[in-house]
Amino acid sequence: MQDFVFHMRMPRVVFGAGSLQHVKREVEAIGAERAVVLSTPGQAALAARVVELLGQHAAGVFAGAAMHVPIETVHAAEDVVQRVDANCLVAVGGGSITGLAKALALDSGIPIIAIPTTYAGSEMTTVYGLTEGGLKRTGRDAAVLPRCVIYDPELSLGLPFATSVVSAINAIAHAAEGLYAPDGNPVVDLFADQGIRKCAAALPRLQAEPRDVAARGDALVGAWMCGVVMGSVSVGLHHKLCHTLGGSFGLPHAELHTVVLPQALAYNAAAAPEAMRAIAAALGAESAPAGVFDLAARHGAATSLKAIGMNESDLDRAAELAMQGQYPNPRPLERGPLRELLQRAWEGVRPS
Ligand code: NAD
């Protein structure tokens, strides 16, 4: 039995196929009337649709968001926000867009309405990140938590299947680490269990039919639940490794999750047996690490660092970096075993 403190802060959630139509109502519900719509260039058409739905409440649009929230992009978006004196940010897109909205809200306190189109889960957390001079700094601040999240499964119908797989496993990683977090609680465990179940079960259905709106809905509900977990408790070795490898070796964020999660779980398995049983059960697998590995492999995702462009000669430095800074993890961090973990991740060895 674990002692715990329960305190959850969650945005209002509006879920449903076609729920994008409620965006104007939700802007009005938070007492705002001048919204700036944020998107990437690739989703500018969707941003234009949001502008149309907002009618007189659409004050501006910034469709220049980029990955990892570069400070230059934040300044460019800030210009638009200030010029129109916006009192609401409507962020439509993946984690990169939510990240931009969070960076804007951090200093200004302008409320965010998030409309996620991937399974990254950032909309449920107070975690923000900003890249300046090649370095990504992250932190937590209540000001960046969206006031409302609109989950519309129709908006992810066109998310390529390969992106859907890595994004769903990104979500599963939040929940898996939540299950062994030292600040966990029984409610978070429920969200983690259901989140993993829904994301994992949606993948074979999406493989058969990527435009299956019910499967998209399940994946999105799962992503919401996994995001709640990450927003409520601390994360451990897996997230630290992904952050280190992504930041220092320029590896793709989402693919890293599919490669690293099985190996991070294998590293922690003996130190967190209850969490492993829960993850395995939610995946319908015999073991948590092998279950995640098979889920990724079955759906065509990368399972090795080699396949996503990492040089073997960088593994020693990666192990050094992963040892820096303390963070909660069920098994203490030891350089030798961590180096072995990275070797297996590089080779893509299925955890036994
Ligand atoms: P992303 O937002 O960069 O999107 C990936 C690509 O998919 C982009 O090119 C985007 O335009 C496209 N895309 C998005 N939705 C689409 C759709 N429905 N149809 C077609 N294309 C679509 O990637 P992501 O995986 O959503 O988010 C990753 C980022 O989020 C990372 O920077 C990560 O650090 C951050 N993140 C932050 C938190 C947090 O709590 N702060 C949590 C998870 C992830």
Side-chain angles (χ1 to χ4, degrees):
M1 193 170 61
Q2 184 187 7
D3 294 353
F4 63 87
V5 173
F6 177 74
H7 176 91
M8 258 185 189
R9 208 183 342 221
M10 273 201 247
R12 169 181 162 90
V13 167
V14 177
F15 178 88
S19 57
L20 181 67
Q21 64 178 309
H22 302 308
V23 63
K24 186 176 177 190
R25 179 190 79 193
E26 295 304 318
V27 167
E28 288 170 350
I30 61 172
E33 62 279 311
R34 290 180 308 284
V36 164
V37 180
L38 307 168
S39 81
T40 54
Q43 288 185 295
L46 179 57
R49 209 169 123 209
V50 175
V51 166
E52 205 178 300
L53 286 166
L54 285 172
Q56 79 275 23
H57 295 321
V61 57
F62 179 81
M67 253 171 72
H68 302 306
V69 196
I71 190 80
E72 299 76 18
T73 310
V74 178
H75 290 326
E78 240 160 22
D79 287 345
V80 177
V81 168
Q82 284 166 4
R83 198 171 59 233
V84 302
D85 190 22
N87 56 9
C88 178
L89 303 166
V90 177
V92 57
S96 298
I97 307 302
T98 314
L100 173 63
K102 286 175 161 184
L104 293 168
L106 187 61
D107 292 329
S108 66
I110 300 177
I112 300 170
I113 294 182
I115 310 174
T117 61
T118 69
Y119 310 127
S122 172
E123 66 283 353
M124 284 295 143
T125 82
T126 57
V127 180
Y128 64 85
L130 265 173
T131 305
E132 191 167 8
L135 280 181
K136 188 165 181 178
R137 80 181 154 91
T138 58
R140 281 187 188 257
D141 195 307
V144 308
L145 187 70
R147 288 279 290 280
C148 171
V149 178
I150 299 177
Y151 284 116
D152 183 344
E154 287 181 359
L155 303 182
S156 51
L157 291 179
L159 187 66
F161 178 67
T163 316
S164 306
V165 175
V166 292
S167 194
I169 294 179
N170 183 357
I172 289 174
H174 306 330
E177 290 226 297
L179 282 164
Y180 54 58
D183 48 357
N185 65 61
V187 178
V188 156
D189 290 354
L190 286 176
F191 271 77
D193 172 74
Q194 284 298 309
I196 295 172
R197 246 169 236 278
K198 287 196 182 291
C199 285
L203 288 181
R205 293 159 66 201
L206 291 175
Q207 193 169 34
E209 175 46 58
R211 298 186 68 83
D212 177 340
V213 75
R216 288 287 179 192
D218 281 354
L220 208 51
V221 168
W224 164 52
M225 293 178 150
C226 294
V228 168
V229 175
M230 191 188 176
S232 309
V233 299
S234 45
V235 289
L237 175 64
H238 167 78
H239 282 80
K240 166 75 177 182
L241 278 178
C242 289
H243 191 72
T244 303
L245 295 171
S248 306
F249 303 99
L251 301 173
H253 172 269
E255 283 79 0
L256 268 173
H257 282 275
T258 67
V259 175
V260 172
L261 186 61
Q263 311 298 343
L265 293 180
Y267 184 95
N268 283 332
E274 263 186 56
M276 296 302 147
R277 272 194 292 277
I279 297 163
L283 291 173
E286 279 188 15
S287 105
V292 176
F293 185 95
D294 294 344
L295 186 72
R298 248 194 337 263
H299 295 101
T303 50
S304 74
L305 293 174
K306 185 168 45 174
I308 61 170
M310 185 163 187
N311 295 322
E312 192 174 13
S313 56
D314 283 332
L315 293 178
D316 283 334
R317 196 159 74 86
E320 291 301 336
L321 291 171
M323 287 294 291
Q324 287 170 12
Q326 279 309 304
Y327 48 94
N329 193 61
R331 177 177 168 192
L333 303 178
E334 297 168 63
R335 199 191 173 286
L338 261 185
R339 177 64 179 79
E340 283 166 30
L341 177 166
L342 286 166
Q343 187 69 38
R344 282 193 296 274
W346 188 79
E347 290 172 17
V349 179
R350 181 180 185 269
S352 53

